[in-house]
DNA sequence: GACCTGCTGCGGGATG
């Protein structure tokens, strides 16, 4: 028996040795570990990553689908490099989730024990003993979150040099989840600060799902470098994708319920959808994404009740951010176990990282938030060889009546979803936006750096954070001094007689509380107040301007004033104004999606992955589009409204609406268009204004947003001077150049 | 207009 096992091992070893060049480069003990694990070959990404990483000098991005062994591709050569050093170095792994760190710890512990390399997990749930052990001998592998890293930099300033002296690699997991975000800026700044302390560059390894623009990802990982980041992109095996989307129609009855301030009568769509899901999903593992926590509850409830009524064990598990850890763990365990079938009904909590095994179907209820997110979700399905990924979609459109709004007539939901699936099939998806100014995160990093150093001069800070190649390189000297002055006014920093920046009284309080370490804000709500009465509160994700109309508690309200500091919106009841009919549950829509929608409207063939009802909605949408002559016209008139059809993304339409408001019109971005309330103006005078705006150059952001309120989005936006706040908001939400371009290319005449 | 992520240091008391 022993001999048999040995020869079997030797066989495998032979194959690895003959076919793999990279295998030889690994430490012998790691090689042996791989044979024993029963691997017969290395994956493509691993084969290419090992030689790139093992020398310990290069920055590398490994982009591959889930379950392609990215972690091993990074750690095996990094550990090999570590074993070859006289003194054991420190490999730093930074991950976005605690659950991911726990997973990786499990995966590494076995190997590292053999290699006699300590592995230290470090996040909020890890106890003091483990942390102290690491601090005594900071070597081996450290698995940490950006927040815990911030705490270390901030609170252990005097020993930061000692702790990170032997850092040999930064391994950043789920890189795509960091790019373009506050946390991403924080992380980049932290790596920069550590390198500044140890006085050398530490090779950075990014692990990522495939990104649209890999060069941009390289630039994110290491800006302005002479030796470019090595990109290792593994396409994986081209998987087949099966798609079926079913359409439903919601009858008009609910209009009768008008003016009852409560919810309209129960809707038919969700009931039918739940029944169909029950039939097709039972007996296998699946994930259902219904876009909101409320819908997760609704569908899980209906599906579980159906199991109960039919006397079968429950197979449907809810999973979202407001649920307790216990309930979430239960759902994850049910999905992972593989013993009985389980379907997770979830928000994007199950989109990232956590290992739940492969599922048969991914179900999307309503529009997907973006193509990128749809793609990420589909990555969970059909991961075994020979299996195809399956996407099922459910869409409800309202029955068309005599007074149906334009958006209903155009069947926008169906067109948007179809456009997104068609872009997905073309392998296109939204690139992460990298133009944000991120002044907010800069404030955090300044305060943290002051804590780390026990004070810093302004020029030291500017050089460290804002010079070429630094994390906040876009910030101009003038902006920096304006910011510092304002931080002084807010008592966040003070300058001592020698010119040293220190924490002010408020800064002290903020930095000394643990809530300081996260770079992102948690949702804040604004109260809606009519006279003395508080109507309720809503989370703000859109700038507000007095005079604007909003829909709340089933009625239309006119905004009279917005008080950012008191987080209050004062409104009066409005009789006539038409509120923007937002399609709930979707994120920002990219211009490419709107352009693809337009192609669909202009076409005439049925769509093969839509069922009969959904295809009927496509025909109806095309008929409405033709009736309004939208193929040739860029504006239409509907009662008191003038609609400008741009078929561009939300950032562009938002910029256009802002520009129109600057030109004294009452305008709002509204899906694929911008709608203008004519008020006392005639159609011709509105068109005149548009034509005039076309001639004027674009005004400054400050002029454009002079009346705009509720611009605060990021955590420390409250501490920004007005002009920097406007610049920051605009950088994240408005595409002014594209708006001006569009305007210049269009003519407004009757 | 949706959703998600993360969090110190210290002291006191129980337990082995």
């Amino acid at each position: 028996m022993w001999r048999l096992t040995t020869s079997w091992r030797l066989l495998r070893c032979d194959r690895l040795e003959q076919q793999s060049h990279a295998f030889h480069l690994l430490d012998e003990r790691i090689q042996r570990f791989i044979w024993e694990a029963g691997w017969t070959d290395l994956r493509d990404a691993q084969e290419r990553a090992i030689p790139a990483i093992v020398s310990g000098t290069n920055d590398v991005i490994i982009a591959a689908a889930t379950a392609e062994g990215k972690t091993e591709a990074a750690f095996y050569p990094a550990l090999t490099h570590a074993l070859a050093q006289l003194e054991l170095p420190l490999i730093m792994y930074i991950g976005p989730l605690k659950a991911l760190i726990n997973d990786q710890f499990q995966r590494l512990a076995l190997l590292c024990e053999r290699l006699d390399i300590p592995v230290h997990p470090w996040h909020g749930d890890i106890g003091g003993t483990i942390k102290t052990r690491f601090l005594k001998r900071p070597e081996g592998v450290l698995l940490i979150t950006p927040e815990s890293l911030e705490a270390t930099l901030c609170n252990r300033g005097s020993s930061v040099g000692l702790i990170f002296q032997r850092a040999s690699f930064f391994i950043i997991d789920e890189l795509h989840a960091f790019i373009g975000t506050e946390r991403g800026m924080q992380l980049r700044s932290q790596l920069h600060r550590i390198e500044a302390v140890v006085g050398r560059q530490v090779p950075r390894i990014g692990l990522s799902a495939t990104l649209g623009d890999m060069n941009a990802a390289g630039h994110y990982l290491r800006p302005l470098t002479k030796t470019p980041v090595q990109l290792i992109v593994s396409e994986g095996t081209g998987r087949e994708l099966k798609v079926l989307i079913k359409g439903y129609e919601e009858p008009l009855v609910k209009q009768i319920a008008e003016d009852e301030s409560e919810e309209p009568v129960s809707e038919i769509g969700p009931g039918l959808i739940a029944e169909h899901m029950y039939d097709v999903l039972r007996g296998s593992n699946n994930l259902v994404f219904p876009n909101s926590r409320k819908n997760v509850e609704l569908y899980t409830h209906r599906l579980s009740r159906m199991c109960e009524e039919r006397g079968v064990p429950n197979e449907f598990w809810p999973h979202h951010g407001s649920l307790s850890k216990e309930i979430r763990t239960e759902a994850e365990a049910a999905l992972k176990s593989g013993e009985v079938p389980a379907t997770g009904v979830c928000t994007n909590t199950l989109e990232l990282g956590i290992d739940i095994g492969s599922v048969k179907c991914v179900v999307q209820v309503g529009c997907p938030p973006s193509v990128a997110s749809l793609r990420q979700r589909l990555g969970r399905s059909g991961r075994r060889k020979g299996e195809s990924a399956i996407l099922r979609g459910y869409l409800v459109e309202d029955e068309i009546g005599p007074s149906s709004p334009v958006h209903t007539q155009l069947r926008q939901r169906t067109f948007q979803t179809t456009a997104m699936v068609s872009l997905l099939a073309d392998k296109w998806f939204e690139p992460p936006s990298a133009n944000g100014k991120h002044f907010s995160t800069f404030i955090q990093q300044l305060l943290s750096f002051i804590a780390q150093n026990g004070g810093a001069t302004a020029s030291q800070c500017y050089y460290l954070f804002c010079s070429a190649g630094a994390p906040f390189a876009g910030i101009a000297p003038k902006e920096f001094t304006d910011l510092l002055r304002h931080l002084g006014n807010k008592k966040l920093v003070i300058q001592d007689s020698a010119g040293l920046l220190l924490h002010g009284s408020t800064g002290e309080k903020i930095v000394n509380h643990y809530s300081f370490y996260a770079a992102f804000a948690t949702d804040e709500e604004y109260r809606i107040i009519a006279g003395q009465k508080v109507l309720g509160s809503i989370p703000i994700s859109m700038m507000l301007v007095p005079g604007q109309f909003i829909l709340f508690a089933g009625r239309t309200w006119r905004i009279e004033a917005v008080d950012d500091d008191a987080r209050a919106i004062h409104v009066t009841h409005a009789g006539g104004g038409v509120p923007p009919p937002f399609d709930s549950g979707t994120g920002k829509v990219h211009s490419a999606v709107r352009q693809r929608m337009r192609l669909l409207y202009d076409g005439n063939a049925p769509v093969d992955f839509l069922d009969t009802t959904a295809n009927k909605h496509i025909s109806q949408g095309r008929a409405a589009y033709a009736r309004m002559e939208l193929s040739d016209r860029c504006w239409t008139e509907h009662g008191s409204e003038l609609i400008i059809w741009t078929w561009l993304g939300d950032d562009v339409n938002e910029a256009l609406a802002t520009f129109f408001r600057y030109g004294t019109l009452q305008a709002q971005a509204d899906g694929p268009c911008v709608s203008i309330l004519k008020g006392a103006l005639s159609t011709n005078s509105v068109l005149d204004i548009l034509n005039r705006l076309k001639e004027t150059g674009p005004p400054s952001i400050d002029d454009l947003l002079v009346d705009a309120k509720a611009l605060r989005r990021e955590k420390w936006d409250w501490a920004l001077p007005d002009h920097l706040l406007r610049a920051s908001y605009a950088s994240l939400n408005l595409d002014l150049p594209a708006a001006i371009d569009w305007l210049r290319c269009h003519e407004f005449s009757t």
Side-chain angles (χ1 to χ4, degrees):
Chain A
M1 193 62 193
W2 181 84
R3 290 177 62 87
L4 190 70
T5 318
T6 309
S7 63
W8 178 70
R9 276 185 194 162
L10 282 175
L11 252 180
R12 295 201 152 165
C13 156
D14 278 353
R15 205 171 136 192
L16 268 169
E17 289 196 333
Q18 281 162 15
Q19 296 182 358
S20 167
H21 300 292
F23 186 70
H24 298 282
L25 300 174
L26 295 175
D27 183 272
E28 205 176 302
R29 283 161 286 180
I30 299 179
Q31 289 184 12
R32 202 173 305 134
F33 184 82
I34 294 177
W35 308 333
E36 287 175 16
W39 291 19
T40 54
D41 47 21
L42 294 177
R43 297 285 178 87
D44 172 52
Q46 295 165 342
E47 194 72 37
R48 287 152 63 198
I50 291 169
I53 294 173
V54 81
S55 63
T57 51
N58 305 316
D59 298 318
V60 179
I61 292 181
I62 308 172
T66 340
E68 281 283 309
K70 287 187 290 248
T71 317
E72 290 78 7
F75 270 106
Y76 289 176
L79 289 167
T80 298
H81 171 268
L83 290 165
Q85 312 305 307
L86 289 174
E87 279 192 317
L88 189 58
L90 174 65
I91 299 171
M92 293 179 57
Y93 164 100
I94 300 129
L97 303 175
K98 290 188 285 193
L100 214 49
I101 285 175
N102 296 342
D103 273 5
Q104 301 295 16
F105 176 69
Q106 298 288 340
R107 285 169 80 173
L108 284 169
L110 205 64
L111 169 63
C112 287
E113 199 181 349
R114 290 249 215 119
L115 303 176
D116 216 15
I117 292 180
V119 185
H120 316 271
W122 185 315
H123 55 66
D125 298 346
I126 300 286
T129 329
I130 292 179
K131 293 178 179 173
T132 317
R133 196 187 305 147
F134 167 74
L135 291 171
K136 273 188 189 149
R137 292 189 68 177
E139 57 182 39
V141 180
L142 174 67
L143 311 170
I144 195 166
T145 60
E147 288 73 21
S148 286
L149 187 54
E150 194 68 61
T152 309
L153 288 170
C154 201
N155 299 335
R156 300 176 196 275
S158 53
S159 42
V160 163
L162 272 174
I163 298 173
F164 300 113
Q165 198 53 57
R166 284 196 239 160
S168 63
F169 287 101
F170 293 126
I171 298 178
I172 299 140
D173 206 355
E174 308 276 6
L175 184 72
H176 56 278
F178 283 112
I179 300 178
T181 69
E182 291 159 278
R183 261 181 132 189
M185 285 307 285
Q186 174 187 31
L187 173 57
R188 205 156 82 150
S189 171
Q190 292 170 332
L191 304 186
H192 189 72
R193 284 163 65 190
I194 295 174
E195 287 181 349
V197 171
V198 302
R200 65 191 158 83
Q201 287 198 352
V202 177
R204 302 178 183 183
I205 317 288
L207 310 181
S208 161
T210 45
L211 290 156
D213 186 347
M214 290 306 298
N215 287 321
H219 179 78
Y220 166 82
L221 190 68
R222 174 84 70 189
L224 215 74
T225 170
K226 278 182 202 131
T227 37
V229 174
Q230 288 195 34
L231 305 174
I232 294 172
V233 183
S234 166
E235 296 299 339
T237 43
R239 291 176 314 145
E240 195 193 8
L241 170 65
K242 290 183 184 162
V243 183
L244 179 66
I245 296 173
K246 283 176 75 66
Y248 293 84
E249 201 158 309
E250 194 64 46
L252 273 172
V253 284
K254 66 176 171 184
Q255 295 197 347
I256 302 163
E258 201 179 0
D259 236 41
E260 299 292 320
S261 56
E262 282 311 304
E263 294 278 300
V265 278
S266 96
E267 295 169 73
I268 309 226
L272 295 174
I273 290 173
E275 272 173 37
H276 189 264
M277 283 202 280
Y278 180 87
D279 289 339
V280 296
L281 301 183
R282 245 179 58 83
S284 55
N285 280 20
N286 309 279
L287 287 178
V288 178
F289 292 94
N291 287 349
S292 69
R293 288 181 287 218
K294 199 178 110 199
N295 282 338
V296 166
E297 296 297 341
L298 176 88
Y299 282 103
T300 321
H301 174 71
R302 285 185 190 234
L303 289 161
S304 312
R305 205 180 49 196
M306 287 164 81
C307 290
E308 201 180 309
E309 283 164 4
R310 288 158 176 78
V312 297
N314 178 44
E315 291 185 15
F316 300 92
W317 306 88
H319 197 283
H320 62 70
S322 315
L323 290 173
S324 71
K325 206 176 163 191
E326 287 69 33
I327 297 180
R328 288 160 73 164
T329 315
E330 200 181 25
E332 289 158 27
L335 280 159
K336 224 189 295 196
S337 85
E339 284 159 26
V340 286
T343 289
V345 185
C346 55
T347 57
N348 51 6
T349 41
L350 289 181
E351 219 178 86
L352 259 194
I354 314 163
D355 181 23
I356 48 153
S358 181
V359 301
K360 187 175 166 201
C361 285
V362 167
V363 181
Q364 173 66 50
V365 184
C367 293
S370 66
V371 184
S373 145
L374 187 60
R375 181 171 171 274
Q376 186 81 19
R377 290 171 180 187
L378 272 168
R380 294 286 193 178
S381 163
R383 286 187 349 212
R384 293 192 201 95
K385 268 193 180 141
E387 270 181 11
S388 37
I390 302 174
L391 171 67
R392 286 185 176 277
Y394 296 96
L395 290 172
V396 183
E397 295 279 5
D398 290 333
E399 186 188 343
I400 295 177
S403 56
S404 294
V406 176
H407 295 294
T408 307
Q409 296 181 41
L410 282 170
R411 301 309 199 191
Q412 278 187 21
R413 231 167 273 160
T414 306
F415 278 82
Q416 185 173 314
T417 303
T418 308
M420 284 183 166
V421 171
S422 125
L423 286 165
L424 178 84
D426 287 355
K427 299 199 188 311
W428 179 91
F429 51 94
E430 298 85 356
S433 96
N435 11 337
K437 292 265 192 185
H438 295 289
F439 288 117
S440 161
T441 310
F442 182 43
I443 293 178
Q444 182 207 30
Q445 291 301 302
L446 269 177
L447 293 175
S448 176
F449 183 66
I450 291 172
Q452 177 190 335
N453 275 26
T457 65
S459 59
Q460 190 186 0
C461 292
Y462 190 79
Y463 176 77
L464 177 71
F465 289 113
C466 307
S467 56
F472 298 95
I475 294 177
K478 167 83 165 63
E479 291 176 318
F480 179 66
T481 49
D482 286 353
L483 179 64
L484 278 187
R485 199 168 303 124
H486 199 74
L487 294 182
N489 295 340
K490 295 267 175 190
K491 297 198 166 54
L492 286 170
V493 298
I494 49 169
Q495 198 162 27
D496 75 3
S497 51
L500 207 61
L501 297 171
L502 301 166
H503 294 144
S505 52
T506 310
E508 190 84 31
K509 270 185 217 136
I510 292 176
V511 176
N512 286 332
H513 193 266
Y514 62 81
S515 58
F516 173 71
Y517 309 125
F520 55 88
T522 26
D523 283 347
E524 283 195 278
E525 302 203 324
Y526 276 47
R527 283 170 304 142
I528 302 207
I529 304 170
Q532 300 297 314
K533 198 178 159 205
V534 179
L535 301 173
S537 58
I538 53 166
I540 297 296
S541 58
M542 207 181 148
M543 70 163 121
L544 299 171
V545 182
Q548 203 173 325
F549 294 96
I550 57 167
L551 186 65
F552 190 74
R555 290 172 162 220
T556 312
W557 305 87
R558 183 178 193 277
I559 297 178
E560 299 301 331
V562 181
D563 186 337
D564 280 325
D565 291 316
R567 303 189 210 303
I569 301 168
H570 297 274
V571 298
T572 48
H573 190 257
V578 187
F582 290 118
D583 196 16
S584 69
T586 61
K588 246 184 212 172
V589 179
H590 192 277
S591 283
V593 174
R594 296 263 159 75
Q595 294 290 297
R596 184 57 65 97
M597 284 170 74
R598 201 167 189 199
L599 268 182
L600 277 167
Y601 280 112
D602 280 321
N604 47 31
V607 180
D608 54 11
F609 55 81
L610 299 181
D611 78 341
T612 321
T613 310
N615 261 313
K616 185 184 88 187
H617 292 149
I618 291 281
S619 311
Q620 290 172 339
R622 281 172 176 158
Y625 181 86
R627 206 164 49 237
M628 289 187 260
E629 300 172 3
L630 290 180
S631 191
D632 309 310
R633 306 191 54 156
C634 66
W635 65 273
T636 56
E637 213 171 351
H638 308 263
S640 57
E641 268 185 308
L642 206 78
I643 297 186
I644 313 293
W645 297 90
T646 65
W647 301 101
L648 293 174
D650 289 351
D651 284 355
V652 189
N653 287 346
E654 194 66 56
L656 270 176
T658 310
F659 192 26
F660 293 166
R661 285 197 292 262
Y662 167 83
T664 70
L665 295 168
Q666 287 195 53
Q668 303 197 49
D670 185 7
C673 52
V674 180
S675 66
I676 299 172
L677 260 183
K678 284 191 291 182
L681 297 170
S682 70
T683 304
N684 274 328
S685 8
V686 173
L687 295 177
D688 279 348
I689 294 176
L690 293 182
N691 284 321
R692 248 199 332 271
L693 284 174
K694 221 172 94 171
E695 303 309 319
T696 41
S700 72
I701 294 295
D702 264 329
D703 288 340
L704 262 184
L705 296 180
V706 70
D707 291 326
K709 295 284 181 185
L711 296 183
R712 295 177 192 171
R713 289 294 171 282
E714 303 195 322
K715 191 169 177 183
W716 283 278
D717 274 352
W718 60 270
L720 288 177
D722 283 344
H723 66 291
L724 295 185
L725 177 61
R726 291 185 196 122
S728 171
Y729 178 87
S731 73
L732 291 168
N733 298 290
L734 304 180
D735 187 346
L736 198 55
I740 302 292
D741 270 358
W742 185 87
L743 209 54
R744 295 232 162 103
C745 299
H746 290 80
E747 206 45 60
F748 303 96
S749 54
T750 41

